[in-house]
Amino acid sequence: MAKRKPKLASGAGRKHRGTGRSAPSGRDSARRRSAGTSSAGGLWLYGVHPVLAALANPRRRIQRLLLSPEAAQTWGQRLRQERAAAHAQVAAETLSRPEIEAFLPEGAVHQGLAAQVAPLDQPFLEEVATGGGQDAAARRVILLLDQVTDPHNVGAVLRSAAAFGALAVVSLDKGAPEESGTLAKSASGALEVVPYIKVTNLARALDSLKEAGFWCLGLAGEAPGSLAGSDPAEAVALVLGAEGSGLRRLTRERCDLLVRLPTRPPIESLNISNAAAVALYELLGRG
């Protein structure tokens, strides 16, 4: 059942880009924001799924591709078949595993594959919320993470978002993990297909989504009603808080409804990546 468009909070009548601020004018208005800041040499992705997905993504700028002799034999044909035309001229360098490890964080599980890349240019939140190309009959879901700082958790949420078809994952500029090899490894390729958008103010981002017709739901363990029983609208902004602290007060106040995922004793709650997966299945996976 379609929900009526919620009443906008004060100040939500203005257009806000992904930063939670008014969009800049002139040439800057067309500029995309990177979810991660790179060093002069870019950042390193590693592991089979992140590297394959990066090669298949024409929007990704790839600077170097490193393979161990074993990985070249195992994955070489697939790397050639799945790479986007934009990366046709990227030549693979064959190095020993210790030579590859010299470029990566200590302990990185690289499986003999690594790619040096530039961070992705991400769309503005407003563009995702109002963009076309979506099935008009399908529910649209955007995930927002309130002070979630662990790159493994954010990567796992991105993976679930890709699996169930969420439009984007939104995090705060301050404290949220940047695009990195660790995050990309946890996302298992999803970083290349799901926008990872940073905003400076989550409450204003929710106002912007309300303006675009989204129904804002917050997951909270103490909420009286369940997500399954909430009769969600066809456009949902689902907010998940950090483990332990949960949703902050201003975030709660911006939500149209707080809902919970029922669990049985002795388990009181799920970690954020599991909660995101269950909630996305409830919203997008059934049927």
Side-chain angles (χ1 to χ4, degrees):
M1 184 175 77
K3 293 282 192 300
R4 62 179 179 83
K5 185 175 178 179
K7 183 179 179 181
L8 301 183
S10 175
R14 294 171 293 172
K15 298 290 184 181
H16 297 290
R17 291 292 195 182
T19 59
R21 299 185 295 264
S22 297
S25 60
R27 292 176 59 188
D28 286 345
S29 64
R31 186 178 301 156
R32 300 296 192 270
R33 301 182 65 245
S34 165
T37 56
S38 67
S39 65
L43 62 93
W44 285 94
L45 306 182
Y46 50 85
V48 172
H49 296 297
V51 172
L52 285 174
L55 281 169
N57 181 4
R59 298 185 301 109
R60 176 70 83 174
R61 289 176 290 156
I62 297 178
Q63 298 159 357
R64 294 181 71 180
L65 175 63
L66 310 182
L67 303 177
S68 70
E70 299 81 7
Q73 184 176 2
T74 303
W75 301 103
Q77 182 177 358
R78 188 170 170 186
L79 287 168
R80 291 188 294 271
Q81 291 174 341
E82 297 187 11
R83 70 171 61 194
H87 305 317
Q89 302 305 314
V90 176
E93 305 172 48
T94 303
L95 300 178
S96 68
R97 294 180 70 93
E99 288 175 320
I100 293 174
E101 288 164 5
F103 293 98
L104 306 178
E106 184 176 357
V109 181
H110 56 80
Q111 300 168 285
L113 297 89
Q116 187 181 34
V117 302
L120 286 167
D121 289 332
Q122 300 291 355
F124 290 112
L125 176 58
E126 192 177 70
E127 293 167 339
V128 173
T130 60
Q134 299 293 323
D135 182 354
R139 174 173 286 139
R140 297 178 296 147
V141 176
I142 293 176
L143 289 175
L144 298 97
L145 307 181
D146 189 9
Q147 293 192 315
V148 178
T149 59
D150 189 313
H152 298 91
N153 281 336
V154 174
V157 170
L158 280 163
R159 186 175 184 175
S160 294
F164 293 107
L167 298 182
V169 173
V170 180
S171 283
L172 283 165
D173 259 334
K174 184 177 181 180
E178 302 287 357
E179 184 179 343
S180 67
T182 300
L183 189 151
K185 191 76 164 61
S186 297
S188 194
L191 182 61
E192 307 297 326
V193 296
V194 178
Y196 177 46
I197 301 171
K198 295 292 195 69
V199 298
T200 57
N201 187 300
L202 204 63
R204 287 204 295 264
L206 288 169
D207 287 344
S208 179
L209 288 170
K210 287 183 180 184
E211 186 178 350
F214 279 73
W215 191 255
C216 297
L217 301 178
L219 279 187
E222 74 280 7
S226 69
L227 174 60
S230 66
D231 190 21
E234 294 308 308
V236 174
L238 182 66
V239 194
L240 298 93
E243 294 178 37
S245 57
L247 301 177
R248 292 171 299 158
R249 179 183 61 81
L250 283 177
T251 304
R252 289 168 174 266
E253 291 175 355
R254 287 302 203 282
C255 291
D256 296 299
L257 185 67
L258 296 179
V259 295
R260 61 183 171 86
L261 298 176
T263 59
R264 296 184 179 183
I267 305 302
E268 295 183 357
S269 64
L270 300 173
N271 68 32
I272 187 168
S273 58
N274 288 336
V278 172
L280 286 171
Y281 176 75
E282 181 65 44
L283 293 170
L284 295 169
R286 289 183 180 273

